[in-house]
Amino acid sequence: MEEQKEFTLLEKWRGTAYSSELSKQDSDRLWASYFAYEKGIYEQILANPDEVVTGTVKGLAEKYNVDIMIMVGFLDGIDESLKNPNPIETMTEDTEVNLGYDKELLYKNMVEAKAEWLYTLPQWDALIPEDRRKELYKEQKSSHTVVKAAKVGRNDPCPCGSGKKYKFCCGK
C-alpha cells in the first residue's frame, strides 16, 4: 500500500492558488477575493506600525477574520519583507509567526509585485514621507532596467587597456 504524502500549508495554498486546473473565471474569482482580504490585513497592520503582530497561523487567521489558506497566502506574500522571516515552508496551523516588517522593503516589494492597491494605501502617508516613497518607487522600477554598454568600434582603442586597436586585439 502506497503512503500518501501530507502537504504543508504552503504547498496546499500554492497548489490551489496556482492550479492549472482552475478555469480562468475561478482563478480570477479566487485572486479577487484574496486581494480584498490582503488589502484589509495590510490596512490594519500599516495603521499600527509599531506593533509587531505575532501569533499562530490559526490565531492570526482568526484575528483578521480570514480563512487559514488566505492567511497562509498572506504570510507567503509578506515573508520577503519581514525583519525575521517565518518558517513558511514547514508551518502548521500552530506555528508561531510574526508580521514584523521593514517598511521600505515592504513598500518596494509591493511596487515590484505591481500591487497598486497596496502601495497606494493611505496608511503609507504616516509611515514613509511622500518624497521618500517616490524615491523607493523609482529605485524599484529602475532595478530592472538593463543598460547596454557602449559598443566598441573596430578602430577604437581596445577596452582591455593593451593600447592596440580593438580589431587587432580582443576584437579578433
Side-chain angles (χ1 to χ4, degrees), residues 17-106:
Y18 303 107
S19 173
S20 58
E21 295 173 19
L22 282 180
S23 69
K24 168 106 171 78
Q25 188 177 14
D26 287 343
S27 178
D28 290 349
R29 204 173 303 127
L30 178 138
W31 284 105
S33 171
Y34 171 78
F35 292 146
Y37 286 121
E38 177 188 44
K39 182 179 178 182
I41 296 170
Y42 275 118
E43 286 171 337
Q44 292 177 60
I45 67 170
L46 294 175
N48 298 307
D50 298 327
E51 176 193 359
V52 177
V53 179
T54 60
T56 63
V57 175
K58 185 177 181 180
L60 291 183
E62 290 168 359
K63 174 180 176 132
Y64 294 110
N65 201 24
V66 296
D67 178 80
I68 292 272
M69 285 295 109
I70 297 290
M71 182 50 61
V72 170
F74 182 83
L75 291 166
D76 186 20
I78 196 173
D79 201 58
E80 290 182 9
S81 305
L82 299 177
K83 292 176 182 173
N84 298 308
N86 291 312
I88 62 169
E89 298 289 337
T90 57
M91 68 186 169
T92 67
E93 290 184 8
D94 299 322
T95 302
E96 281 288 326
V97 292
N98 80 88
L99 300 180
Y101 58 93
D102 175 307
K103 292 183 279 201
E104 291 191 354
L105 184 57
L106 179 60

Side-chain angles (χ1 to χ4, degrees), residues 123-139:
Q123 287 83 351
W124 283 111
D125 295 342
L127 294 175
I128 303 173
E130 185 179 0
D131 57 334
R132 180 64 182 142
R133 288 197 313 268
K134 285 180 181 175
E135 287 174 25
L136 293 169
Y137 184 90
K138 281 183 184 174
E139 278 176 30

Side-chain angles (χ1 to χ4, degrees), residues 108-146:
K108 286 173 79 171
N109 286 339
M110 288 175 172
V111 171
E112 167 76 14
K114 298 179 177 73
E116 189 173 345
W117 65 96
L118 297 177
Y119 67 77
T120 57
L121 285 171
Q123 287 83 351
W124 283 111
D125 295 342
L127 294 175
I128 303 173
E130 185 179 0
D131 57 334
R132 180 64 182 142
R133 288 197 313 268
K134 285 180 181 175
E135 287 174 25
L136 293 169
Y137 184 90
K138 281 183 184 174
E139 278 176 30
Q140 185 57 48
K141 289 296 185 181
S142 68
S143 70
H144 294 290
T145 304
V146 177

